[in-house]
Amino acid sequence: MAKFEPDMDKDQTMSGVMNTQEIRESQSYYGIRKAVEEGSVVRLKNGVYASAEALADTMIDIERVVPMGVLCLYSAWSHYGLTTQVPGAFYVAVEKHRKVVVPEFPPITLCYWERKYYELGVVEAEVSGHRVRMYDVEKSVCDAVKFRNKIGLDVTAEVLKAYLARKDRNIARLTAYARQMRVASTLKGYLEIGL
């Protein structure tokens, strides 16, 4: 079996995900094609390939698969330890009306959000050796409140309870986000019960 070991810099080698340009720079098209046929490389989507080892990881390089995507909802809650739910897919927010093609594997659930919500509270974090964009913990909690009817009140309550138990919680930032997202009165009701 051909091993997928391109001659690349340290950051690209760590991710295990390559685009067509990087493949051209590191090895021939036929080498990649042979590796795909043998199973050591998987074609995620047109122009994006990953090694089998990279796919076994618990996190993928979201930026390469969904450029400008932001981890959200279950993926963010799981990262922050706000839920016991195990996400069945990577939840990635993209700006509304944007066309995005996602691969069949790994499973990715796209959330199309208006720009004002999409850009609010984005931070960079390192997860399993990958630099990913995700929403900060307060924005993630406000997302739970905003989408409470879609995710269920039990998940919303779990997220809020776990957030309120954190020592690093920032109620001022949380309420500021809630005002911007138009869920301040709903959040206030939850906080009065939870605090």
Side-chain angles (χ1 to χ4, degrees):
M1 184 179 283
K3 187 92 167 135
F4 183 51
E5 291 180 1
D7 180 27
M8 306 180 73
D9 66 31
K10 185 179 177 189
D11 291 335
Q12 292 170 331
T13 303
M14 283 176 33
S15 73
V17 177
M18 298 177 65
N19 63 30
T20 307
Q21 178 64 34
E22 294 162 343
I23 291 168
R24 283 189 193 118
E25 292 170 1
S26 67
Q27 65 186 42
S28 72
Y29 166 77
Y30 296 105
I32 283 293
R33 193 169 129 196
K34 184 176 181 184
V36 168
E37 289 171 1
E38 293 174 348
S40 63
V41 173
V42 177
R43 180 179 177 267
L44 298 179
K45 67 178 190 175
N46 191 23
V48 180
Y49 299 84
S51 67
E53 296 85 23
L55 294 177
D57 198 357
T58 57
M59 178 53 63
I60 59 169
D61 191 346
I62 292 294
E63 185 60 31
R64 290 181 190 265
V65 180
V66 183
M68 297 304 294
V70 183
L71 280 179
C72 64
L73 301 178
Y74 291 96
S75 296
W77 302 329
S78 179
H79 173 74
Y80 292 121
L82 299 177
T83 184
T84 56
Q85 308 264 334
V86 177
F90 293 100
Y91 284 77
V92 180
V94 293
E95 193 173 344
K96 196 173 185 177
H97 304 300
R98 184 174 161 215
K99 279 189 146 187
V100 177
V101 177
V102 295
E104 288 183 31
F105 186 84
I108 295 172
T109 300
L110 291 176
C111 304
Y112 294 92
W113 292 352
E114 291 180 42
R115 175 176 279 196
K116 61 184 174 183
Y117 303 129
Y118 165 74
E119 294 178 343
L120 185 66
V122 177
V123 296
E124 278 199 9
E126 186 160 328
V127 182
S128 298
H130 299 282
R131 295 293 299 166
V132 296
R133 298 176 65 213
M134 69 174 18
Y135 292 108
D136 66 19
V137 67
E138 285 79 18
K139 168 67 163 60
S140 297
V141 171
C142 287
D143 288 339
V145 174
K146 184 170 183 67
F147 298 109
R148 66 193 176 280
N149 294 329
K150 290 184 180 180
I151 63 170
L153 296 177
D154 55 335
V155 176
T156 304
E158 179 186 33
V159 168
L160 278 163
K161 185 176 180 181
Y163 175 75
L164 293 173
R166 292 173 65 109
K167 294 196 185 310
D168 65 340
R169 68 181 187 240
N170 186 334
I171 301 297
R173 184 183 303 149
L174 181 71
T175 53
Y177 283 151
R179 278 193 298 276
Q180 290 175 290
M181 296 173 67
R182 297 180 174 192
V183 293
S185 59
T186 306
L187 177 67
K188 183 180 178 188
Y190 280 117
L191 291 178
E192 286 173 354
I193 296 167
L195 293 175

